[in-house]
Amino acid sequence: METIRRNIREFDFTLVGALVGLAVYSCFALLAATYGKTFTSDQVPTHVLTKQLIFEAAGFIALAATAAFDYRSLRKVHWYLYGASLVLLAAVFGMHAVNGAHSWIQLGPLSFQPSEFAKLTLIISVAHYMASVDEQEFPDYGLKQALVIFGLWVPPFVLTLKEPALGQALVMFAIVMTMYVVFTKRVYFVLLTVALFALVIFLAVVALRFPDQAKTALTALVHHGVLQKFQAERIITWLDPNYDPTGAGWAVHQAQVAVGSGEVFGEGLFNGIETRGSWVPNQWTDYIFTAIAEEFGFVASSGLIVLFLLLVYRLVRIAGMVQDPFATYIIVGVVGMFGFQVFQNIGMTMYLSPSTGITLPFISYGGTSLVANYIAVGLAVSAALRRKKLRFH
Amino acid sequence: MKKDANPKLGRINFVYSLIFVAMVSLILRLGYLQIVRGDSFRTEASMSMLSHLPILPSRGRIYDTNGVLLAYDKPSFSVVLTNLKSPEQDLHKLTQQLAPVFGVKASELYQTMEKTVNGPTQVRIFQNATPAQVSYIYEHQSELPGIQVVEDPQRAYRYGDLAAHVIGYIGKITQDTYDYYVNKLHYSLDQLVGRDGVELQYEKYLQGKPGARVVQINKLGVPIKEFGLDPKPTPGDNVVLTIDAHLQAEAQQIVVDELQRVRQQYGYNPTNAEAVMLDVKTGGVLAMVSYPYYDPNWYVDPKAYLAHEKYLYDPVLTPMINHVIQSPRYPGSTVKPVNVLAGLESGVIKPDTVIYDPGYANVAGYILHNWTYPVGQGAVTPDKAITESNDTFLSYMALWMGNWHGAVPPGETLAHYLVTDRIKGLNTLFYWESLFGLGRLTGIDLPNEVAGHFETEGRVYDLDRAMKALKTKGYFDDHGVVYDLAAASIGQSQQFTPLELAQYVMTIANNGVRLQPHVLKEIVSPDGKVIKRFKTKVQARLKINPEYLKVIKEGMLGVTTSPSGTAYGSFYDAPYTAAGKTGTAQIMMGKRTDHISMFIAYAPADHPQVCIAVMVPGGGESSDTAVPLGRQLFDAYFKEHHEFFPRSQWTNDQVPSNWTQMSAYTLPETTEVSSTIP
């Protein structure tokens, strides 16, 4: 009884409220993004909204189940999970490619995206290792530890990159980097911070001052097989919005026009010129933000970003309250994952970041990513419910 | 630090602050795009994602003088390509798919499509699509990005080849008119323009102004939302002609029947025939036939055009040429009335002058036989010269006008005579002819009129230059002979179009008032307001001695009423009186000597209402073809106007309901006339 009462009292309703808000956004966005698009070349799945509602329900069940489940037991099985995710990541290469990428495992009518779960298992395994280092009597945060951490990161990263799913692979990098920033010793932290700012400044300078040289360099990378041509073109498109506007630059250009045409209050549901006309590709998945921005305007789309910030804030708040390092690292990993994905996904529609194929968490259509994201939040909730409390009874 | 706080709180807050900055930067960027630049993005979206399909205006209708509808627009379907400038659209692929559907050459279709690459983004790639072609496009819409079906007005000529040469036809803007229509008048390439006849002459009234249909399209070019017409197309103005469709139909049938008759009766093989009837009071053209003719509907339907292309460009049949206004021919004796008038006015003859005709004239040693009466007509007066078409009288009269009285005037050399007195005689004759509109453009409101001309020894004789030279220098270098005078007097030294002859006889009927022939009655706006009414144009009021005019008019009346008149055979039983003049010109058709059968006349003789000119090359003697043809034209007119004929023979002013079964409608394209001269 005591546990239940405490659970209810301690339960983070703001967090759940944010998730419900995101679910509502998702429904309206999907409605807008798929309305009237019955022609075949866009491959709009049938009954998008119904399916998404089922996924949302499954997601909330997964969230509740994960919350009820003691996250600490994951430490015992993390290798199995990690191994299983690698096997699944390898298994996709035996499957049919969808849109040129081996990202899916088909099981009858259901399809499953292993990389979504690989992100979670990566978080768990890295969190476990970082926690075990923390828990040593004389923890060492040196190069050896860094090597182990990045050693855990490499296999799923490489497999995902080979699908090819550059976006997902970069999310894995962002996850590990976020966790490492929290994990590592002060000197490395300072160095990393400096490096991060240097990177941001470097990218800004390259993008704004030397776009041509950068293009040449990217072309060379394609030539040497480091990058796929379409991947390089996405970066070039970001560097130069006028690059091949009817070809490689088409999607992002249309995306930005769609976002911009939303103006303050949007063009209204089903009235978006770009959205209704299907001018933005994959609008129910990767480019879903453009549907929200065009049809509901600045008010609603900035509201969505604020909602994401609220979600991240509530997660960070939980991370600040728990004392279990394993829980801390998991939550930090999840926060890093959401933060990067949201910035990257929304940013690419506005030429703020290069376009990569990743979903907008909780909004994009797709069961795997939705359920995985709910599980991720569920882990945080599980940690919040089981945190040690210094209480006087 | 609180005891229950996480030791990593600082780092966690650092991560949070990074994410906070990232989210804020997203919001800032969003604000910049949506609020600062939102307007321009929305404009860009509307510009490219809203398709402004040009909607062609419906072309003005063409009516006959009694309100009979001749040409109108009916709805048809066109296929429009919008260049989406998108990777979804492959013009080559579209061409491969659509060329077999339209039944056109892939290379031609691609050329049309290619215009959208650098030019206007939209072009009509196929017009007048069949229901099957339209439904193919609807069914395959998703495979045909940027392809749309629009409703276009399509020209229809209700009675086919009825008055085809007057109405003309429409077609695409051609290379040589591109500059005028597209660059100067800003037409779209899709607009069809008049190519001949009234369609060309009154193009600017008929055309109207295109509008645009604003449609939201998706990236496959499929319309998803209608925004209506903006602006609405403005229909063209309606043109009302002076043409009387009933009379026109009758005239065409009369021509066809007469040609058929002379082929059977005389074994002639006329390939062309022209007949024109003018309203003497206004100069309005009531009927104009240039046989053989075409059906303007062929130019609307590419298939029909291809089926008739060979016929249209047949070098002998020349159905595309309106010979009434474009083919000057030898007028023969039809010029005699004006020449007699010239003789009277210049004083060389008097109304009672008598010339003895032994059957020939001695023209400076050359014997010119009298065509109509080779045995001679004895004493001939001016009016009788016209009535009986006496060559001898005209020849001597013309020689006298050239101061030739059997020999070179005393004290003159022949060489000097030929460039002075002879020129003076020719000029007097030709000048009087030109006063009646002969050898000049009539000014009819139809495109591409060709003026007749004068000639000596088969070379063009520039009357204006000759008159100027004679006035300033006293002579005119023209290498001709004395005979030219005689030849000019009997219509062998000039070539006039049938319309010029009609204007000439109309001027006689009007006692010297020369009116401009015209086909336009009025232009009426779509809401029924008269925009422009053709006012009778007086080109000249000739000063003619009424006594002399009476002489030639009586001579012309004699042509149809005197038993010795050259047209008496066809007019002796006419319930009305007509005054006219016959003509038979000897010409070479290929290697064969042939005749142009001609007749000009007006009726009724005392109070003229209408006049006609008929020309049938290869039609034999005037009395064989042209005169009976002319008689029937007058009959048709008076029957329609309920004059002179008994009520039982009256007709209405409508095109016969069985017009499309009549041989005048069907025959020109199935004509059995051999198009090669034997």
Side-chain angles (χ1 to χ4, degrees):
Chain A
M1 271 312 283
E2 168 62 22
T3 334
I4 294 171
R5 232 186 299 134
R6 185 183 153 193
N7 283 0
I8 292 170
R9 200 172 55 240
E10 296 289 321
F11 196 75
D12 193 337
F13 287 103
T14 312
L15 181 66
V16 174
L19 290 177
V20 170
L22 290 174
V24 171
Y25 262 103
S26 174
C27 291
F28 276 102
L30 281 176
L31 199 57
T34 57
Y35 181 77
K37 295 180 188 174
T38 49
F39 39 92
T40 50
S41 88
D42 273 344
Q43 297 164 329
V44 183
T46 51
H47 312 294
V48 170
L49 200 58
T50 320
K51 285 183 188 168
Q52 185 78 348
L53 283 169
I54 294 168
F55 295 147
E56 292 281 359
F60 271 97
I61 292 166
L63 170 79
T66 317
F69 172 78
D70 188 348
Y71 72 99
R72 284 168 292 205
S73 49
L74 287 173
R75 294 188 74 161
K76 290 176 205 131
V77 295
H78 80 94
W79 280 120
Y80 298 108
L81 292 174
Y82 184 81
S85 72
L86 288 188
V87 169
L88 288 174
L89 277 179
V92 293
F93 295 101
M95 297 287 164
H96 285 292
V98 177
N99 293 335
H102 298 270
S103 306
W104 299 87
I105 287 176
Q106 286 284 342
L107 289 171
L110 295 171
S111 56
F112 171 78
Q113 207 178 353
S115 55
E116 288 292 344
F117 279 98
K119 290 187 290 189
L120 290 185
T121 58
L122 178 65
I123 290 172
I124 292 165
S125 288
V126 172
H128 167 74
Y129 176 74
M130 288 177 171
S132 21
V133 173
D134 275 1
E135 283 153 6
Q136 283 164 15
E137 207 167 337
F138 303 103
D140 183 8
Y141 302 99
L143 270 179
K144 184 182 156 247
Q145 284 72 22
L147 278 175
V148 173
I149 289 163
F150 288 95
L152 283 170
W153 165 72
V154 166
F157 176 80
V158 169
L159 284 170
T160 309
L161 195 60
K162 282 285 158 195
E163 283 182 2
L166 178 66
Q168 289 285 45
L170 287 176
V171 175
M172 292 177 182
F173 180 69
I175 288 168
V176 173
M177 281 308 294
T178 313
M179 293 169 80
Y180 189 72
V181 161
V182 176
F183 167 75
T184 194
K185 59 182 171 188
R186 183 169 287 271
V187 182
Y188 286 4
F189 170 70
V190 171
L191 283 175
L192 273 175
T193 309
V194 170
L196 177 69
F197 281 108
L199 180 72
V200 169
I201 290 168
F202 170 77
L203 286 177
V205 168
V206 166
L208 296 174
R209 300 298 300 272
F210 305 104
D212 296 334
Q213 289 87 334
K215 272 196 262 179
T216 318
L218 284 164
T219 316
L221 285 179
V222 173
H223 192 69
H224 291 99
V226 180
L227 279 177
Q228 303 264 18
K229 186 163 184 285
F230 76 92
Q231 292 169 335
E233 275 182 334
R234 285 176 178 182
I235 303 174
I236 294 173
T237 303
W238 170 66
L239 290 169
D240 175 10
N242 296 321
Y243 175 79
D244 196 10
T246 63
W250 168 262
V252 188
H253 178 75
Q254 296 304 326
Q256 177 170 264
V257 173
V259 170
S261 350
E263 301 188 72
V264 180
F265 298 107
E267 293 176 10
L269 185 63
F270 306 144
N271 285 329
I273 294 171
E274 291 267 345
T275 301
R276 275 283 270 132
S278 187
W279 294 94
V280 185
N282 299 328
Q283 222 182 357
W284 54 97
T285 56
D286 295 356
Y287 282 104
I288 195 158
F289 182 74
T290 59
I292 299 169
E294 186 181 27
E295 297 204 344
F296 309 114
F298 176 76
V299 173
S301 44
S302 61
L304 175 66
I305 296 170
V306 169
L307 212 49
F308 276 121
L309 197 56
L310 178 65
L311 171 70
V312 168
Y313 170 72
R314 295 310 285 193
L315 291 175
V316 164
R317 187 171 161 273
I318 295 172
M321 290 192 303
V322 296
Q323 271 119 359
D324 177 10
F326 179 56
T328 306
Y329 288 122
I330 285 180
I331 296 169
V332 165
V334 168
V335 162
M337 175 173 85
F338 288 163
F340 180 79
Q341 278 191 229
V342 169
F343 178 78
Q344 170 59 28
N345 180 286
I346 296 179
M348 76 179 177
T349 65
M350 305 190 289
Y351 284 102
L352 215 54
S353 56
S355 73
T356 47
I358 51 172
T359 55
L360 186 57
F362 299 105
I363 306 293
S364 290
Y365 172 76
T368 321
S369 99
L370 203 57
V371 171
N373 290 332
Y374 276 114
I375 290 175
V377 177
L379 290 173
V381 176
S382 175
L385 292 175
R386 288 167 182 81
R387 71 177 197 268
K388 284 187 203 133
K389 293 238 166 170
L390 294 176
R391 283 178 181 275
F392 300 97
H393 293 278
Chain B
M1 191 188 267
K2 277 187 197 168
K3 272 202 170 163
D4 59 347
N6 191 313
K8 298 282 187 185
L9 196 60
R11 299 285 178 86
I12 293 167
N13 282 339
F14 173 77
V15 168
Y16 178 66
S17 61
L18 280 185
I19 292 173
F20 185 85
V21 168
M23 296 298 134
V24 168
S25 66
L26 284 180
I27 292 175
L28 288 177
R29 175 77 180 165
L30 202 54
Y32 170 69
L33 290 181
Q34 294 191 304
I35 297 167
V36 181
R37 289 183 56 196
D39 239 15
S40 72
F41 279 120
R42 190 173 287 190
T43 308
E44 186 184 338
S46 324
M47 292 296 285
S48 49
M49 315 314 162
L50 295 180
S51 141
H52 298 257
L53 277 176
I55 297 299
L56 301 184
S58 89
R59 201 173 168 81
R61 292 191 282 267
I62 300 177
Y63 293 96
D64 92 331
T65 186
N66 298 312
V68 175
L69 182 62
L70 300 176
Y72 62 103
D73 272 5
K74 60 179 185 188
S76 82
F77 293 105
S78 291
V79 182
V80 178
L81 166 77
T82 306
N83 195 317
L84 304 174
K85 317 256 181 213
S86 130
E88 302 277 344
Q89 191 180 42
D90 180 350
L91 297 187
H92 286 287
K93 227 175 90 188
L94 287 176
T95 305
Q96 290 307 318
Q97 190 168 351
L98 289 177
V101 178
F102 297 157
V104 296
K105 274 190 204 151
S107 57
E108 279 171 23
L109 184 61
Y110 185 76
Q111 268 182 1
T112 314
M113 288 189 178
E114 226 184 356
K115 287 180 190 163
T116 60
V117 175
N118 294 316
T121 52
Q122 286 171 328
V123 72
R124 276 168 173 73
I125 54 172
F126 191 69
Q127 279 166 323
N128 196 16
T130 63
Q133 288 162 334
V134 170
S135 56
Y136 177 90
I137 303 228
Y138 285 142
E139 281 158 23
H140 296 78
Q141 192 77 72
S142 61
E143 305 155 32
L144 300 169
I147 299 288
Q148 282 186 66
V149 175
V150 296
E151 225 174 86
D152 270 344
Q154 189 206 340
R155 202 56 162 171
Y157 300 95
R158 194 169 161 211
Y159 297 109
D161 48 24
L162 183 80
H165 284 118
V166 175
I167 296 170
Y169 60 96
I170 59 166
K172 285 188 175 158
I173 294 171
T174 54
Q175 283 283 313
D176 30 317
T177 52
Y178 182 90
D179 206 47
Y180 176 72
Y181 286 122
V182 177
N183 294 341
K184 202 173 150 216
L185 300 181
H186 307 293
Y187 277 35
S188 88
L189 268 178
D190 288 332
Q191 281 171 270
L192 299 179
V193 296
R195 293 267 286 271
D196 203 355
V198 166
E199 293 276 30
L200 170 57
Q201 186 76 24
Y202 295 106
E203 162 66 26
K204 71 169 176 173
Y205 293 100
L206 288 164
Q207 180 62 244
K209 267 210 175 93
R213 194 177 111 206
V214 184
V215 184
Q216 186 185 347
I217 52 168
N218 66 20
K219 70 171 173 188
L220 299 183
V222 179
I224 47 178
K225 198 170 172 186
E226 283 277 352
F227 285 91
L229 294 170
D230 183 28
K232 280 186 183 163
T234 317
D237 298 321
N238 299 330
V239 166
V240 182
L241 301 180
T242 58
I243 296 284
D244 177 335
H246 173 85
L247 200 63
Q248 177 73 29
E250 294 261 16
Q252 288 182 220
Q253 190 58 49
I254 290 166
V255 168
V256 168
D257 288 346
E258 277 303 294
L259 293 180
Q260 206 76 316
R261 182 181 63 79
V262 298
R263 279 182 199 124
Q264 282 164 9
Q265 193 174 336
Y266 303 109
Y268 297 152
N269 187 23
T271 51
N272 296 102
E274 295 93 45
V276 57
M277 182 183 271
L278 304 182
D279 181 332
V280 163
K281 295 188 189 83
T282 64
V285 177
L286 298 174
M288 183 185 276
V289 186
S290 174
Y291 179 93
Y293 30 80
Y294 58 88
D295 184 340
N297 288 312
W298 296 342
Y299 288 90
V300 179
D301 177 9
K303 277 211 182 94
Y305 176 77
L306 284 177
H308 298 284
E309 198 178 15
K310 192 163 170 273
Y311 165 74
L312 284 170
Y313 293 100
D314 187 297
V316 175
L317 295 175
T318 58
M320 283 180 68
I321 298 175
N322 182 358
H323 292 286
V324 175
I325 62 166
Q326 291 176 306
S327 295
R329 296 194 174 115
Y330 292 105
S333 302
T334 57
V335 294
K336 279 174 184 167
V338 66
N339 287 357
V340 168
L341 186 68
L344 289 164
E345 286 282 345
S346 61
V348 299
I349 55 165
K350 300 233 168 332
D352 55 0
T353 299
V354 175
I355 296 174
Y356 183 77
D357 169 30
Y360 62 90
N362 184 337
V363 184
Y366 180 87
I367 300 303
L368 194 145
H369 290 280
N370 189 352
W371 175 265
T372 0
Y373 289 92
V375 293
Q377 286 167 293
V380 181
T381 50
D383 57 335
K384 199 178 161 193
I386 293 169
T387 299
E388 299 174 4
S389 197
N390 190 287
D391 288 348
T392 309
F393 184 97
L394 266 291
S395 301
Y396 283 125
M397 182 201 80
L399 290 174
W400 299 343
M401 288 168 81
N403 199 22
W404 181 277
H405 299 273
V408 182
E412 277 257 40
T413 63
L414 181 62
H416 188 249
Y417 167 80
L418 289 177
V419 295
T420 52
D421 282 352
R422 173 180 151 274
I423 297 293
K424 206 177 133 211
L426 283 175
N427 283 1
T428 312
L429 271 178
F430 289 158
Y431 176 64
W432 273 95
E433 288 176 3
S434 74
L435 287 179
F436 283 79
L438 296 168
R440 307 279 194 212
L441 289 175
T442 65
I444 189 165
D445 49 347
L446 283 175
N448 306 319
E449 188 192 3
V450 173
H453 59 265
F454 307 100
E455 46 183 62
T456 52
E457 302 294 288
R459 290 185 307 268
V460 173
Y461 182 85
D462 188 334
L463 176 63
D464 296 326
R465 257 185 67 214
M467 287 176 65
K468 205 180 158 201
L470 206 60
K471 211 173 173 185
T472 54
K473 297 191 292 187
Y475 70 94
F476 176 63
D477 275 321
D478 177 72
H479 304 286
V481 293
V482 180
Y483 177 78
D484 292 334
L485 283 164
S489 74
I490 57 170
Q492 291 181 355
S493 286
Q494 50 274 80
Q495 297 202 37
F496 304 135
T497 62
L499 188 66
E500 285 171 46
L501 291 176
Q503 188 187 27
Y504 149 58
V505 74
M506 174 171 68
T507 309
I508 295 173
N510 282 332
N511 301 320
V513 178
R514 193 175 85 222
L515 304 178
Q516 183 205 304
H518 61 95
V519 294
L520 179 74
K521 188 181 183 187
E522 57 197 20
I523 293 171
V524 185
S525 70
D527 53 10
K529 234 173 54 196
V530 176
I531 294 170
K532 178 180 167 156
R533 182 168 274 140
F534 191 94
K535 275 203 223 134
T536 303
K537 266 192 196 136
V538 178
Q539 289 180 332
R541 293 178 194 275
L542 308 179
K543 284 192 192 104
I544 305 169
N545 186 327
E547 198 194 337
Y548 300 159
L549 193 67
K550 208 176 141 221
V551 170
I552 64 163
K553 283 181 124 178
E554 262 167 17
M556 288 171 74
L557 180 61
V559 169
T560 62
T561 55
S562 158
S564 63
T566 49
Y568 182 72
S570 291
F571 278 88
Y572 69 95
D573 59 348
Y576 50 87
T577 55
K581 183 69 196 85
T582 58
T584 309
Q586 231 177 53
I587 49 159
M588 299 297 287
M589 285 185 83
K591 286 179 182 163
R592 198 161 47 89
T593 309
D594 215 326
H595 300 101
I596 307 177
S597 178
M598 276 169 289
F599 185 53
I600 58 169
Y602 59 86
D606 45 354
H607 292 98
Q609 293 178 27
V610 288
C611 69
I612 56 157
V614 180
M615 241 191 203
V616 185
E621 293 267 357
S622 57
S623 53
D624 293 341
T625 315
V627 175
L629 208 160
R631 162 74 202 269
Q632 291 175 65
L633 289 178
F634 282 132
D635 287 0
Y637 173 84
F638 289 122
K639 281 176 185 169
E640 186 190 339
H641 287 79
H642 305 172
E643 291 177 75
F644 305 112
F645 285 89
R647 181 180 283 269
S648 60
Q649 295 184 36
W650 289 359
T651 57
N652 63 20
D653 55 13
Q654 298 298 307
V655 175
S657 55
N658 61 339
W659 167 246
T660 52
Q661 273 85 54
M662 288 166 76
S663 54
Y665 174 84
T666 53
L667 200 62
E669 49 176 324
T670 55
T671 183
E672 289 162 25
V673 179
S674 153
S675 72
T676 46
I677 291 174

